């Protein structure tokens, strides 16, 4: 639950709070499995949608969380295809040298 609360807080803290949430989670939990970060983002998105009604600006943050979860999943697949280690969140930083989207976001 700690990771989900962290993600929700980051997503809702500012209009562009979503930009650093993946990077911030990787730095906060470098030993977590990357799939756990995907699950965390999906859970945060679902919780935001359950809490805020249609038309709320928070719904935009939920949409961004869903998008980030999908992009993070794509990164994991790319890491697998390249034969890169991908068992820990910290391994994502190595991939960000190849595809800097999350590093530079």
């Amino acid at each position: 639950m700690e990771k989900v609360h962290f993600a929700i807080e980051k997503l809702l803290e500012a209009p562009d709070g979503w930009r650093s949430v993946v990077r911030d989670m990787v730095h906060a939990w470098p030993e977590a499995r990357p799939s756990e970060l995907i699950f965390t983002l999906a859970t945060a998105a679902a919780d935001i949608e359950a809490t805020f009604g249609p038309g709320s600006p928070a719904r935009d943050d939920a949409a961004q969380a869903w998008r980030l979860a999908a992009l993070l999943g794509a990164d994991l697949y790319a890491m697998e295809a390249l034969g890169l280690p991908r068992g820990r969140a910290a391994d994502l930083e190595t991939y960000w040298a190849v595809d800097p989207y999350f590093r530079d976001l």
Side-chain angles (χ1 to χ4, degrees), residues 6-8 10-12 14-26 34-45 48 60-77 92 96 99-105:
F6 178 88
I8 290 170
K10 292 303 251 178
L11 289 162
L12 298 177
D16 64 346
W18 62 271
R19 296 179 72 83
S20 68
V21 68
V22 171
R23 216 174 26 253
D24 294 340
M25 288 192 307
V26 166
S35 59
E36 183 181 2
L37 301 186
I38 294 169
F39 181 79
T40 296
L41 288 166
T43 303
I48 291 169
D60 294 338
D61 298 317
Q64 288 293 1
W66 287 118
R67 181 175 164 267
L68 294 172
L71 290 170
L72 194 51
D75 280 3
L76 284 178
Y77 178 78
L92 289 161
W96 294 343
D99 179 354
Y101 178 78
F102 282 113
R103 184 192 70 202
D104 296 345
L105 184 61

